[in-house]
Amino acid sequence: MSAPSFRRRLALGTRVLAAELRLSSEGLLEGHVHEGEARRSLAAEAVRAPDGSVLLRVGGEAVRARVVRQGDVTTVVVGGRAYELRDAEQAAPGQAAAEEPFATSPMTGLVAKVSVAPGARVAAGAPLFIVEAMKMEYVVRATREVVVREVRRKAGEKVALGEVVVAFEASAAGRA
Amino acid sequence: MSAPSFRRRLALGTRVLAAELRLSSEGLLEGHVHEGEARRSLAAEAVRAPDGSVLLRVGGEAVRARVVRQGDVTTVVVGGRAYELRDAEQAAPGQAAAEEPFATSPMTGLVAKVSVAPGARVAAGAPLFIVEAMKMEYVVRATREVVVREVRRKAGEKVALGEVVVAFEASAAGRA
Amino acid sequence: MSGFPFTTVLVANRGEIALRVIRTLRVLGLRSVAVYSDADAGAPHVLAADRAVRIGPAPARESYLSIPALLQAVRDSGAQAVHPGYGFLSENAAFARALADAGVVFVGPPAEVLEASADKLTVKRRVAAGGVPVIPGPLGAVPDEPAALQAAARETGYPLLLKAAAGGGGKGMRVVREAGGLLEAAESARREAGGAFGSTVLYLERLVTDARHVEVQVLCDRHGQVRVLGERDCSLQRRHQKVLEEAPAPGLPPEQRRRVHEAGAAAARALGYVNAGTVEMLLDPEGRCWFLEVNRRLQVEHPVTEATFGVDLVAWQLRVAAGERLPPQDEFVARGHAVEARVYAEDPGQGFLPSCGRITALDVPEGPGLRVDGAWGVGQEVSPHYDPMLAKVIAHGATREEAFARLDDALARTAVTGVRTNVGYLRAILADPEVRAGRVAIDLLERRAGELAEPAAPADLVLLAAAAHALLRGAAVTAPAVGAAGAARATPDSPWQSLAGFRLGEPSR
Amino acid sequence: MSGFPFTTVLVANRGEIALRVIRTLRVLGLRSVAVYSDADAGAPHVLAADRAVRIGPAPARESYLSIPALLQAVRDSGAQAVHPGYGFLSENAAFARALADAGVVFVGPPAEVLEASADKLTVKRRVAAGGVPVIPGPLGAVPDEPAALQAAARETGYPLLLKAAAGGGGKGMRVVREAGGLLEAAESARREAGGAFGSTVLYLERLVTDARHVEVQVLCDRHGQVRVLGERDCSLQRRHQKVLEEAPAPGLPPEQRRRVHEAGAAAARALGYVNAGTVEMLLDPEGRCWFLEVNRRLQVEHPVTEATFGVDLVAWQLRVAAGERLPPQDEFVARGHAVEARVYAEDPGQGFLPSCGRITALDVPEGPGLRVDGAWGVGQEVSPHYDPMLAKVIAHGATREEAFARLDDALARTAVTGVRTNVGYLRAILADPEVRAGRVAIDLLERRAGELAEPAAPADLVLLAAAAHALLRGAAVTAPAVGAAGAARATPDSPWQSLAGFRLGEPSR
């Protein structure tokens, strides 16, 4: 009987980890992880709790984890802290360049104010728009001098994390 | 748009209820229940809570219920009390007669002792076997004079609720 | 860091009490080791501990009651102390002695104390000598020989109580009302006691009728200091199984309360008692108290004392076991009222037969003034091998009325499916006028069984809930349509009298 | 039954506080009415109430802050009293007045008291007249005109604090360190205050640095009696948002504690205060206390006082509103130490930006000495419209160390997915040596932001958990194979140093 195995390339923040783990019929989880040039051996006894959480025992230490997979993100909560593993095939190969031709919302919320209009030339550091959620508001500023091409959300409208609110002319710099 | 409807014959203990209820797009649950000759109108506002429980509001009163369906049994917990609705098509038309040709376990547990052997003639009221579960033991007695045909479980074995432990000869009385 | 002479504590128990002990160990910075039988791999106490050791197959005698298996687990885990919980080996002198011999701290009375009080008849003699009134009955074990047993019973007089000398918690205990039932009761009690405690010795006592069960929580250090942490009333019992416990005992005149506390302290002193213990007493209608027995462990119902005194009794057990001195009596001050309900997996509609199975849905109540000690969860198997208690729900309030109302509201918000429970029965008890008035007595639950029977099912409501569940499944949870529906709109002409009287948080009709 | 002059109470709030108030109403035998916006249909407080009334669309200004909508809900539901919770209209004099005019009891300070203390500057003058020391700053509103505003700020001196006159809870509050940021800060604070309170009036105060935030819980009846229920320390704040609160304040010399309590009582008397209130003060490094403001409502952090004093403050609010007299001061006695952590839906890794979404999994910790006040649940939507607080976890212990250890263990057992939370950050705070030593100060969290940053992820452990989850899904929960595996068997040569130091219940490296 071949042991069920877990082979995945996963991104954890900026780290990319390639895991190769097998579960024996006795509940022993064993294998390796590759990270860049490094290769580490891993082993733990694994139990699934009736509530669906996972218990790992390693060297007499017990760690309980709550794991939820949604889309290409696996969230692992350990000791109250949540870690997000992203399937690395889908993960961006590098961080997006600073000079995007648009400004996106840093959080899901409501647009509280838009300070610019199409055609406006905005200096680096000047406010573009304000997003508000719960008790907090966040001022999004131009990171360089830009010319506004389009404003896609107006004050009072909902906006999701990462959604474009203001687009720039491809003039000044960067990829168009 | 036709309203989703709930039409079922259900047994609640010894009562048999035929429900005909519809849910309007506004969350109003309305219809009738037939019970024997009686017919009653029912209406309630119904909401499904994020945790999957159900909230009913009737005349300013709120009742929260946890409902679980498993097989042909729907368990409804209200105010801490659990009620079991059995699909009436499958439900026995009447209670089983007292003179079954066997004795069953009244609970899931372990057989603590079997007091009879095949061929034994047992007087009404005499102990047949003892089932034990958790802190409790239960003595199953002959409800009439019987002759033991077969003993299907021995001491120390597990037994499920309703399982036959001792079978009788079809001699004395009743259906064979 | 911890200031304890041990760093790793093995918890020789299972279920809610093992979990509760582990919680305190973590808070005190001590490492916890759980033990488990095959029926308990994946159980909550196993998952909560820093380490877990298998000790045997499902039957308790081969696992939680097996001294060799537990000693092996202690060695394997390197534990320097053992907390026994309640039940199982918690009052077993041989276990405490074996641990002492191995240089392991037993978090309970020292082996000498357990040995000198292992026989409850000796205990009875010793506390009597210490001036504590005891219940009439022969101060010797029930003979095996039927004729001799019947003679001893006749001498004591019926109704009487058969008790396992090594017993506790209602196991191996039988009321015998007349000579006819004596032999079968003795056999059954012996079998139960043998299974639970490994000893079949029984003794007889006169049954004190119309009494209340009042017990004193004592805490004694190794330096001879005895502290009384008030009393609890545990009169509400069904078949010697406590169902509802409260602190303080309701309606006790100050003079009676003082006498009860003094008897508790005197019993502890007479036994040279050390660690947390409980002196159980009967309070008869004339206000006289009778020594019943001493429980040489943490009680199931200890949380009501913790709630009123604001202490962690397990932490005190560990400190006392570590040799610490107790603070003066006046530092233990009670506040308000607390009540505990035991949620059992049993079917009140079928003669309270145990109900085994797997929990399929569970709503655990929460809120200010509430505490729930359980080891339950969705997917959890309720096994026939162990105690049927699923959880304890404890409520604290400024007054008894407030604590009872809070407990009832909590039980109304409790939902268990997959196994049947006594939650409805508990709510019926809380609604009982005699209980509410504080007129509790050991026979109350039996006497009022008719009034406490399950009320008729609110059939229409149950149907509506089933229909709502079926029709709303997969529906958007916060459907704007429902939100926009505004205030409740009853159809004024529908026959909703039955539902109008039905309110969560109040006992239904 | 209840002894109250009202039987139905409308709770003019949402979330955990609405739920918490409803729990007490049920215990007291009072009927509860919830209100909800379209974003909250199906929210926990709506499901818990006896009745629920829709009051408007999602934005607070059109629902929870709309006096006409709430008055309509009061009429529709027949409520004879209104509990406002905290935030929203809880300190709104116009709301209290409108209710009083309609003959409805406001469970908070009477309209006259709120009217006479609506302007925080007036309050400052009045408490100063009552002998309470106040923080330097102009006793007038910040002018709209930029030049005048800049002049007032110069006069006060930088660094200074801009505060919404109608504010509270950190909303509409800005620290301004130099003239350059003044105008934008004022605009931003005005916008936030307008959104939250319907008033854009701001005022200036000198920023008292290196101070602790200590606040006194007062309870005043309608008969002129003022009671002090100890103090709380709420120094651990991030951007004027309290994060961790405790009672009593750690390391306060008895003389300072007495002065703080006296200042609290004096402030309450100077304002003719009635009902539960909080007098916030700054304690500077020299041990001087400065009046900050009076919160004329229940505080978010009231459970730490409830835990130490063993009282239900909402019940007392209702009794005082019903005209009851308070018991003598010596009946309020504190015991032990309590600490509260606020669990926010925010992302500490991304500058603490709010995190909206739907909760996909949730483990709520339980255990003795713990209380969790939340209105969360799997499937619950965390909406951008309201406060990002998901829940409060409160731990009580005999000592501060015990309470902190219990809280940390509880947070370690908390799991939320679907939205990001600050639970890891809270655990880092609890592990901070300065915090553990009780050397708390308002600037601590900012000053030690580097030390409190998320530690590196335990990557191998996270991978193992993900793999275990994927491979064990659908596996038998209590697989005998696992049970039979016995004690943990580590592969001794595997590089598990990283995991060996990782223990649930302890702050990870």
Side-chain angles (χ1 to χ4, degrees), chain C residues 23 26-27 30 36 41 50 54 308-310 312 333 335 366 368 371 405-406 409 413 478 483 503-504, chain D residues 23 26-27 30 36 41 50 54 308-310 312 333 335 366 368 371 405-406 409 413 478 483 503-504:
Chain C
R23 296 272 180 260
R26 300 194 79 90
V27 170
L30 296 166
Y36 63 97
D50 291 315
R54 177 186 175 273
T308 49
F309 279 84
D312 180 335
V333 181
R335 203 164 63 184
E366 43 58 54
R371 165 177 169 184
R406 180 164 286 137
D409 184 51
R413 291 186 280 123
T478 53
R503 189 177 157 207
L504 277 178
Chain D
R23 296 272 180 259
R26 300 194 79 91
V27 169
L30 296 167
Y36 62 97
D50 290 314
R54 176 186 174 273
T308 49
F309 280 85
D312 180 335
V333 181
R335 203 164 62 183
E366 43 55 56
R371 165 177 170 183
R406 180 164 285 137
D409 184 51
R413 292 186 280 123
T478 52
R503 188 179 159 205
L504 276 178

Side-chain angles (χ1 to χ4, degrees), chain C residues 92-469:
Chain C
N92 189 298
F95 185 48
R97 173 59 64 196
L99 290 171
D101 289 349
V104 174
V105 175
F106 179 73
V107 184
E112 308 80 72
V113 172
L114 287 176
E115 283 158 355
S117 62
D119 177 355
K120 290 188 173 176
L121 302 172
T122 312
V123 169
K124 229 172 145 170
R125 277 189 220 107
R126 288 176 65 191
V127 302
V132 181
V134 297
I135 302 171
L139 296 178
V142 156
D144 283 339
E145 211 266 306
L149 165 55
Q150 270 163 338
R154 256 195 317 275
E155 194 180 309
T156 306
Y158 292 93
L160 55 77
L161 204 53
L162 274 172
K163 293 174 74 174
K171 281 187 198 168
M173 202 192 286
R174 296 288 184 278
V175 174
V176 187
R177 304 217 168 262
E178 46 184 29
L182 181 67
L183 296 185
E184 195 178 315
E187 191 197 339
S188 157
R190 277 205 182 94
R191 193 171 40 244
E192 204 171 282
F197 316 112
S199 153
T200 59
V201 177
L202 303 180
Y203 68 108
L204 282 177
E205 264 180 7
R206 193 60 204 272
L207 185 73
V208 180
T209 50
D210 299 329
R212 291 170 63 171
H213 175 118
V214 175
E215 58 185 35
V216 176
Q217 175 69 54
V218 296
L219 197 54
C220 311
D221 64 20
R222 292 188 170 173
H223 313 283
Q225 299 191 106
V226 175
R227 303 285 176 257
V228 171
L229 275 73
E231 82 288 349
R232 295 180 287 259
D233 189 301
C234 311
S235 300
L236 297 173
Q237 310 182 353
R238 215 187 52 75
R239 296 192 182 185
H240 306 288
Q241 182 74 56
K242 293 169 186 169
V243 176
L244 214 86
E245 302 107 334
E246 56 184 308
L252 217 58
E255 175 53 25
Q256 270 184 44
R257 170 164 292 125
R258 195 184 56 73
R259 276 210 308 276
V260 165
H261 291 192
E262 278 176 7
R269 277 197 204 90
L271 298 170
Y273 197 79
V274 174
N275 213 292
T278 294
V279 181
E280 295 191 332
M281 278 175 273
L282 292 178
L283 202 66
D284 72 17
E286 287 74 44
R288 292 174 301 188
C289 71
W290 302 95
F291 175 82
L292 202 54
E293 58 185 43
V294 59
N295 290 319
R296 301 156 303 157
R297 51 166 159 88
L298 197 66
Q299 298 279 88
V300 175
E301 60 270 25
H302 74 276
V304 295
T305 298
E306 294 188 329
T308 49
F309 279 84
V311 297
D312 180 335
L313 283 170
V314 171
W316 276 119
Q317 287 191 291
L318 289 158
R319 289 193 197 106
V320 165
E324 230 180 84
R325 293 181 71 87
L326 289 167
Q329 177 70 50
D330 62 10
E331 289 196 15
F332 294 99
V333 181
R335 203 164 63 184
H337 201 98
V339 57
E340 169 182 286
R342 299 191 188 187
V343 177
Y344 288 112
E346 62 185 16
D347 188 350
Q350 301 286 323
F352 292 90
L353 285 183
S355 178
C356 305
R358 194 179 288 276
I359 296 176
T360 53
L362 178 65
D363 294 333
V364 179
E366 43 58 54
L370 276 185
R371 165 177 169 184
V372 180
D373 277 20
W376 52 0
V378 171
Q380 190 65 33
E381 183 77 33
V382 179
S383 132
H385 292 286
Y386 312 115
D387 190 278
M389 196 176 73
L390 292 175
K392 308 180 303 203
V393 182
I394 304 105
H396 182 260
T399 61
R400 184 174 190 261
E401 195 185 353
E402 186 183 315
F404 273 55
R406 180 164 286 137
L407 178 58
D408 186 58
D409 184 51
L411 293 172
R413 291 186 280 123
T414 303
V416 186
T417 65
V419 294
R420 292 176 185 164
T421 74
N422 66 335
V423 173
Y425 177 65
L426 291 169
R427 295 195 64 205
I429 295 172
L430 289 173
D432 184 272
E434 291 197 23
V435 172
R436 291 173 83 113
R439 291 197 301 273
V440 291
I442 294 177
D443 68 346
L444 188 146
L445 294 189
E446 201 179 326
R447 187 161 38 80
R448 296 185 61 81
E451 288 85 349
L452 297 171
E454 287 290 284
D460 295 351
L461 179 64
V462 169
L463 280 182
L464 280 168
H469 178 73

Side-chain angles (χ1 to χ4, degrees), chain D residues 212-431:
Chain D
R212 290 169 64 171
H213 174 118
V214 175
E215 58 185 35
V216 176
Q217 176 69 55
V218 295
L219 196 55
C220 311
D221 65 20
R222 291 188 171 173
H223 313 283
Q225 299 191 107
V226 175
R227 303 286 175 256
V228 171
L229 274 73
E231 81 288 350
R232 296 181 286 259
D233 190 300
C234 311
S235 300
L236 296 173
Q237 310 182 353
R238 215 188 51 76
R239 296 192 183 184
H240 305 288
Q241 182 74 56
K242 294 169 186 169
V243 176
L244 213 85
E245 302 107 334
E246 56 184 307
L252 218 57
E255 177 53 25
Q256 270 183 45
R257 171 164 290 126
R258 195 184 54 74
R259 276 210 308 277
V260 165
H261 289 193
E262 278 175 8
R269 278 196 203 92
L271 298 170
Y273 197 78
V274 174
N275 214 291
T278 294
V279 181
E280 295 192 332
M281 278 175 274
L282 291 179
L283 202 65
D284 71 18
E286 287 75 43
R288 292 173 301 187
C289 71
W290 303 96
F291 175 83
L292 202 55
E293 59 185 42
V294 59
N295 290 320
R296 300 156 303 157
R297 52 166 159 88
L298 198 65
Q299 298 279 87
V300 174
E301 60 270 25
H302 74 276
V304 294
T305 298
E306 294 188 327
T308 49
F309 280 85
V311 296
D312 180 335
L313 283 170
V314 171
W316 276 118
Q317 287 190 292
L318 289 158
R319 289 193 197 107
V320 164
E324 230 180 84
R325 293 181 71 88
L326 288 167
Q329 177 69 50
D330 62 11
E331 290 197 13
F332 295 98
V333 181
R335 203 164 62 183
H337 201 98
V339 56
E340 170 182 285
R342 299 191 188 188
V343 178
Y344 288 112
E346 62 186 17
D347 188 350
Q350 300 287 323
F352 293 90
L353 284 183
S355 178
C356 305
R358 194 179 288 276
I359 296 176
T360 53
L362 178 65
D363 294 332
V364 178
E366 43 55 56
L370 277 185
R371 165 177 170 183
V372 181
D373 278 19
W376 52 0
V378 171
Q380 191 64 33
E381 183 77 34
V382 179
S383 134
H385 292 287
Y386 313 115
D387 190 278
M389 196 176 74
L390 292 175
K392 308 180 302 204
V393 182
I394 305 105
H396 183 260
T399 62
R400 184 174 189 262
E401 195 186 353
E402 186 184 315
F404 273 54
R406 180 164 285 137
L407 178 59
D408 186 58
D409 184 51
L411 293 172
R413 292 186 280 123
T414 303
V416 186
T417 65
V419 296
R420 291 176 185 164
T421 73
N422 67 335
V423 172
Y425 177 67
L426 291 169
R427 295 195 64 205
I429 295 172
L430 289 173

